[in-house]
Amino acid sequence: MTDIEPAPLQRGATIILDIEKAAFEGRSIARVNNLVVFVDGAVPGDRVSATVFRKKKQFAEARVDEVLVPSPHRVDPACTHFGVCGGCKWQHMSYEQQLVWKRAHVRDAFERIGGLEGVVVNETLPSVSPFWYRNKMEYSFGEMRWLGEVNRDAEPFALGLHVPKRYDRILHIDECHLESPESNLVLNATREFFLEKGISAFSTRTHTGDLRHLVIREGKHTGERMVYLVTSQRMEAVMEEYAALLQRGEFGVTTLIQGVTQRKSTVAIGEEDIVHFGEGSIREQLGDNTFRISPTSFFQTNTLQAERLYALAEKAAELRPADVVWDLYCGTGTISLYIARDVKQVVGVELNDAAIRDAGTNAGANGLENTQFICADIVDFLAPDAAHDVPAPDVIITDPPRAGMHTKVVDAIGKSGVERLVYVSCNPTTSARDCAMLAEYGYDIVDITPVDMFPHTFHIECVISLRKNAGFAAQDS
Ligand code: SAH
């Protein structure tokens, strides 16, 4: 930094910055005269010219105008929509470097927020594939096309992804590298078909128009592919033609479902679902189990990596055949079913009753009789006066949402005295906070393994292995 002239940091100023770090939320960090500058669109190691667009006492924010000296970690993004689409903010950084920063963020969270110095953070487990990893994409139709700005010359018809923070604007997408080449074929054929038929896109402003969402889901292990088209009207004749189109071999579509809804809500759920061909659902394999996925059911989006995540959680739990395991925040029971064959009994607990029903169905379909699923708020399930006759756990696996666990839940787990505890976290900031509290009850972190479920994004999942009073000496990885 020494050869950079200190520039007056004020709104509108153009400054030269050496980018030092990747910050949370996909931004990066430079420093000018000890003031932190958050920068959009840069890669650590870049020297950039940037314009300050916000100046506060503690920090400033700037946007890159020009990369003067590119970072050795900078790569050409694979996607033509990079920069405008909010989806893959890190596609201009090498995948290896993304993994390095994800690990650094986990370590940083546990040291700074958790105050847990010297905790062992293993290398990030890379995604099996950095592209084509998603088993679901949800596209929207819209009457305002966005290409960096609203394109008023274009037809009032777009099919693509929502522009970040602009819910009425749809970025026209013709190639996305996240699901599969076939998924892109379906996307483009759908757009062309309905444009040619003159069918209108639904407007979230006026609530008129027929086409609302296009959801494409596929089983990575089974090769089955679902198209779920959400519309306002039934449009029988057009749908018949659309169904005939999608049955052509190149799309590999095994089932087409149409969801019809007149609701104003922008979620891709039909009030009535019409199956045009196929079974109305697809199957996917996860570990030894097969899951049936309907148009709106929750399922882990990166199948292959979810298997690696669960394998790590299982290993961290050091399961034994006589174990009773509690799987807290179990969703549709994917972790419970993954481990059920290796233990005596699994109890899954989850708030969402549709997810609990799916968990029961999936357990039955896979012949797993040693599982039990309970629909409850974890806070109530763990309350001292809770009325259930579930056997006490030998192991607890917990997988809370991004907000982490309620303090009452942390307290209850702390007091349970369970010896083996595995925390699967999708947000290191909140799991670090929770683990700091658990440390007060004598839970030591054996190690943490970051797992990359979402390449090119700043999201990072991790498996935290904890033991009661293990008394590990703090060590450096
Ligand atoms: N373990 C699952 C899903 C974890 S996602 C899997 O691997 O697929 C977190 C889950 O926690 C969601 O399904 C959400 O419905 C549930 N959840 C959130 N708050 C909850 C609470 N207070 N009590 C019980 N479940 C809750």
Side-chain angles (χ1 to χ4, degrees):
M1 293 260 322
T2 44
D3 53 347
I4 293 179
E5 282 287 307
L9 256 182
Q10 59 203 26
R11 195 161 172 250
T14 300
I15 49 175
I16 293 175
L17 298 169
D18 280 329
I19 308 298
E20 296 174 17
K21 284 181 163 191
F24 291 126
E25 309 293 316
R27 314 181 89 186
S28 47
I29 289 183
R31 239 173 271 266
V32 176
N33 305 334
N34 280 329
L35 187 86
V36 168
V37 185
F38 291 104
V39 188
D40 290 332
V43 171
D46 277 345
R47 171 169 289 190
V48 301
S49 164
T51 302
V52 177
F53 65 89
R54 186 170 295 143
K55 168 72 176 61
K56 298 262 180 193
K57 238 200 196 130
Q58 310 287 345
F59 64 90
E61 293 175 89
R63 211 169 278 125
V64 174
D65 298 318
E66 194 187 344
V67 179
L68 303 174
V69 183
S71 162
H73 307 296
R74 198 172 248 283
V75 295
D76 285 335
C79 182
T80 51
H81 305 294
F82 176 78
V84 190
C85 173
C88 301
K89 285 216 160 78
W90 277 4
Q91 255 196 42
H92 58 347
M93 198 195 313
S94 76
Y95 188 51
E96 293 69 32
Q97 197 64 16
Q98 294 178 24
L99 300 173
V100 167
W101 282 112
K102 289 190 186 201
R103 182 191 193 192
H105 284 168
V106 172
R107 191 198 302 273
D108 207 40
F110 278 79
E111 289 187 349
R112 272 193 316 120
I113 299 161
L116 299 159
E117 286 290 325
V119 53
V120 179
V121 180
N122 297 319
E123 283 191 18
T124 311
L125 186 70
S127 179
V128 175
S129 161
F131 288 106
W132 312 123
Y133 61 83
R134 288 184 66 97
N135 56 29
K136 175 183 176 187
M137 284 302 291
E138 185 175 318
Y139 297 104
S140 300
F141 292 88
E143 30 87 76
M144 262 200 261
R145 211 189 251 218
W146 180 263
L147 298 160
E149 55 186 34
V150 174
N151 184 346
R152 300 199 185 278
D153 299 332
E155 298 203 47
F157 186 100
L159 173 56
L161 294 168
H162 279 287
V163 176
K165 297 179 194 146
R166 305 295 292 268
Y167 292 102
D168 55 339
R169 308 273 153 94
I170 302 296
L171 174 69
H172 170 99
I173 300 270
D174 49 19
E175 191 183 25
C176 171
H177 292 73
L178 296 184
E179 193 171 19
S180 64
E182 291 84 357
S183 163
N184 287 334
L185 289 179
V186 170
L187 173 70
N188 291 322
T190 300
R191 180 191 299 107
E192 280 161 31
F193 174 83
F194 287 109
L195 251 177
E196 196 189 298
K197 295 282 166 203
I199 312 286
S200 56
F202 183 76
S203 159
T204 46
R205 289 179 309 133
T206 60
H207 306 291
T208 55
D210 290 326
L211 298 161
R212 303 178 69 140
H213 303 278
L214 173 72
V215 182
I216 307 169
R217 306 185 79 160
E218 54 189 49
K220 294 291 180 187
H221 286 301
T222 62
E224 297 180 357
R225 183 170 293 112
M226 165 198 297
V227 172
Y228 184 50
L229 184 81
V230 183
T231 64
S232 307
Q233 307 293 333
R234 288 192 178 189
M235 311 186 295
E236 278 98 348
V238 177
M239 284 306 294
E240 216 170 284
E241 276 187 62
Y242 180 60
L245 170 73
L246 287 193
Q247 277 178 295
R248 285 194 347 219
E250 72 249 41
F251 300 119
V253 176
T254 52
T255 187
L256 167 66
I257 308 120
Q258 177 188 13
V260 184
T261 181
Q262 301 275 350
R263 292 206 181 111
K264 286 182 182 169
S265 143
T266 54
V267 291
I269 300 180
E271 290 168 274
E272 178 195 15
D273 281 350
I274 304 164
V275 179
H276 287 274
F277 65 84
E279 295 185 5
S281 61
I282 53 167
R283 287 167 309 154
E284 175 66 309
Q285 195 81 26
L286 214 112
D288 293 329
N289 302 306
T290 303
F291 292 82
R292 196 159 273 289
I293 302 172
S294 58
T296 54
S297 54
F298 171 81
F299 197 76
Q300 287 277 348
T301 46
N302 184 343
T303 306
L304 303 182
Q305 197 67 352
E307 290 179 317
R308 297 175 81 170
L309 177 77
Y310 296 167
L312 269 177
E314 177 166 40
K315 189 159 162 258
E318 292 184 286
L319 298 178
R320 299 162 200 163
D323 281 341
V324 172
V325 183
W326 285 6
D327 176 15
L328 306 182
Y329 308 89
C330 71
T332 47
T334 33
I335 295 179
S336 299
L337 302 191
Y338 190 88
I339 60 172
R341 287 178 184 83
D342 300 320
V343 297
K344 184 170 156 219
Q345 195 182 345
V346 189
V347 180
V349 188
E350 157 68 45
L351 192 57
N352 182 314
D353 63 341
I356 284 292
R357 261 182 278 127
D358 282 352
T361 309
N362 290 327
N366 288 286
L368 296 167
E369 284 167 11
N370 60 338
T371 55
Q372 179 184 353
F373 293 100
I374 299 174
C375 183
D377 189 319
I378 308 289
V379 174
D380 301 329
F381 177 78
L382 294 179
D385 57 352
H388 54 69
D389 53 0
V390 170
D394 301 293
V395 176
I396 292 180
I397 297 177
T398 183
D399 184 7
R402 287 183 61 75
M405 300 195 286
H406 194 287
T407 43
K408 286 184 182 165
V409 173
V410 180
D411 267 337
I413 294 177
K415 286 179 185 147
S416 76
V418 71
E419 188 214 337
R420 284 166 283 158
L421 173 62
V422 178
Y423 192 140
V424 179
S425 161
C426 55
N427 183 353
T429 317
T430 53
S431 52
R433 176 202 68 200
D434 295 347
C435 285
M437 268 184 75
L438 285 164
E440 291 172 24
Y441 289 97
Y443 283 92
D444 302 314
I445 296 177
V446 181
D447 65 357
I448 304 175
T449 307
V451 180
D452 189 20
M453 308 288 287
F454 303 105
H456 316 299
T457 74
F458 51 84
H459 291 288
I460 183 69
E461 201 100 2
C462 46
V463 175
I464 307 156
S465 173
L466 299 114
R467 289 294 178 277
K468 173 97 175 161
N469 294 324
F472 298 104
Q475 44 186 298
D476 233 327
S477 54

